[in-house]
């Protein structure tokens, strides 16, 4: 009787540890879902789109978007867990290395415009959460042809990333910088490029990056520095927050949907506020983007 009681306790304890482990796993997937479907917006590039650039339902993360630039034709790969055409056969560690170091399991370098200058600084916890989420999205069989880079790629995007600590959330400006950089890579799309590299030093967030989205379409990104004449310096915090999360400017005009407001709409208010608090600290750069 006594033995049975002890056994019973052991089973209960085991069940409890199992429950805690499952719960921790859920929390990781939940954080990953929040990031991927929100500020990180991997799907903005990796979801399959129709010729008029709309997302195709059921083809989330299945790839196929072509980004055609003079030096390259990038074809965004399938990152669903499909074994044949996606990344189902890669280990968690291999996917983390692909996201932060830009290196595939076969050692080859992943090319632009996958935003490595920013993803390198994604925290271990966040990149693990993203991978946990991607592991359980539906596998979609969709073969995407290889990209063509007509320019030399560097041997690596930098030294091996190793480990990146969590960024504290208590200072909105510090956390906002993490949201605008390593998580959301706002800085890449909104900074101009010169001779194949971003001019982060003195033109960060000044806009003017050309986004060639097909043979007939080139978008030029906006200046989001605090310059009052040529951009958002004159907008209120609420107007900036609304532009990010609804895609509508204070004058009522619509921002092109390549700016993923549909994703940003799911961001928690504290995160949007942190993003705005950080943007307020960005040095004004005069750059009228046409
Ligand atoms: C701005 C567009 C863009 C964004 C945003 C983006 N990617 Fe990519 N990604 C690419 C492109 C383009 C490639 C392929 C480049 C090449 O062919 O070398 C790629 C490659 C990859 C690969 C390698 C797959 C393979 O089969 O070679 C993985 C894994 C990946 N991305 C995951 C992610 C995840 C996870 C996110 C979000 C955290 C993300 N990407 C965000 C454009 C993007």
């Amino acid at each position: 009787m006594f033995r049975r009681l002890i056994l019973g306790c052991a089973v209960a304890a085991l069940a409890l540890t199992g429950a805690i482990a499952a719960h921790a796993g859920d929390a990781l997937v939940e954080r990953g879902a929040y990031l991927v479907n929100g500020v990180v917006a991997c799907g903005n590039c990796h979801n399959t789109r129709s010729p008029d650039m709309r997302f195709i339902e059921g083809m989330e993360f299945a790839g196929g978007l072509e980004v055609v630039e003079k030096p390259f034709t990038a074809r965004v790969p399938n990152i669903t867990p499909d074994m044949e055409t996606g990344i189902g056969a890669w280990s968690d560690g291999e996917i983390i290395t692909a996201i932060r170091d830009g290196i595939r399991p076969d050692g080859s370098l992943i090319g632009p415009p996958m935003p490595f200058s920013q993803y390198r600084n994604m925290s271990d916890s966040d990149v693990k959460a993203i991978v946990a989420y991607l592991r359980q999205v539906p596998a979609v069989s969709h073969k995407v042809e290889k990209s063509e880079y007509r320019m030399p790629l560097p041997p690596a995007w930098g030294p091996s990333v190793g480990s990146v600590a969590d960024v504290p959330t208590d200072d909105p400006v510090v956390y906002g910088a993490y949201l605008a950089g390593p998580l959301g890579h706002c800085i890449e799309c909104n900074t101009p490029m010169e001779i194949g590299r971003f001019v982060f030093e003195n033109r960060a967030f000044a806009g003017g990056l050309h986004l060639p989205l097909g043979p007939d379409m080139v978008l030029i990104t906006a200046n989001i520095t605090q310059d009052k004449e040529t951009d958002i310096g004159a907008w209120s915090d609420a107007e900036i927050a609304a532009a990010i999360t609804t895609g509508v400017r204070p004058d009522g005009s619509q921002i092109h949907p390549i700016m993923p407001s549909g994703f940003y709409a799911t961001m928690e208010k504290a995160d949007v506020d942190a993003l705005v608090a950080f943007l307020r600290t960005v040095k004004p750069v005069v750059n009228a983007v046409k």
Side-chain angles (χ1 to χ4, degrees):
M1 165 74 193
F2 190 56
R3 247 187 94 194
R4 198 178 297 158
L5 198 71
I6 293 179
L7 208 76
C9 282
V11 170
L14 251 179
L16 200 69
T17 344
I20 291 169
H23 189 74
D26 289 351
L28 204 64
V29 172
E30 229 170 77
R31 169 78 180 157
Y34 171 69
L35 290 173
V36 171
N37 298 320
V39 66
V40 177
C42 311
N44 202 39
C45 285
H46 281 275
N47 288 356
T48 311
R49 291 176 186 256
S50 60
D52 65 352
M53 296 297 285
R54 282 172 214 274
F55 294 132
I56 301 176
E57 225 183 295
M59 298 286 284
E60 286 76 21
F61 310 108
L65 175 71
E66 257 192 16
V67 184
V68 187
E69 296 236 23
K70 213 167 168 210
F72 60 79
T73 302
R75 300 190 183 93
V76 182
N78 180 343
I79 56 165
T80 72
D82 186 60
M83 285 295 191
E84 306 286 316
T85 62
I87 56 170
W90 299 13
S91 71
D92 288 2
E94 286 171 340
I95 303 176
I96 291 174
T97 303
I99 297 173
R100 292 199 304 199
D101 289 283
I103 297 171
R104 295 187 187 84
D106 68 3
S108 61
L109 195 75
I110 302 169
M114 173 88 179
F116 299 110
S117 75
Q118 302 308 308
Y119 288 174
R120 297 182 63 74
N121 296 315
M122 205 183 260
S123 75
D124 296 351
S125 331
D126 284 342
V127 79
K128 279 181 192 154
I130 289 171
V131 171
Y133 173 68
L134 286 177
R135 281 266 179 237
Q136 52 81 69
V137 302
V140 180
S141 171
H142 182 228
K143 186 163 168 45
V144 177
E145 294 304 320
K146 275 196 174 8
S147 303
E148 290 157 47
Y149 292 95
R150 296 174 286 276
M151 62 189 208
L153 290 179
W157 296 112
S160 170
V161 169
S163 177
V164 181
D166 284 348
V167 175
T169 51
D170 50 356
D171 181 339
V173 173
V174 170
Y175 194 67
Y178 179 62
L179 288 165
L183 288 184
H185 75 278
C186 318
I187 187 171
E188 275 210 351
C189 271
N190 287 284
T191 296
M193 255 194 183
E194 269 171 21
I195 337 170
R197 64 175 286 278
F198 290 105
V199 196
F200 289 134
E201 293 82 14
N202 50 16
R203 296 181 75 75
F205 299 101
L209 179 68
H210 289 224
L211 294 178
L213 294 173
D216 312 318
M217 182 165 38
V218 176
L219 276 177
I220 303 175
T221 60
N223 182 347
I224 57 167
T225 69
Q226 285 297 299
D227 183 51
K228 288 201 166 32
E229 299 294 319
T230 55
D231 228 90
I232 68 174
W235 299 6
S236 70
D237 287 359
E239 285 171 337
I240 299 175
I244 295 169
T245 56
T246 67
V248 180
R249 298 185 189 87
D251 67 5
S253 63
Q254 191 80 38
I255 301 171
H256 186 277
I258 197 69
M259 154 87 183
S261 298
F263 289 88
Y264 300 159
T266 66
M267 286 172 72
E268 284 161 11
K269 186 173 180 308
D271 282 357
V272 177
D273 290 349
L275 199 48
V276 174
F278 164 71
L279 286 174
R280 284 281 180 230
T281 69
V282 174
K283 180 177 70 92
V285 180
V286 179
N287 187 28
V289 176
K290 291 252 166 55

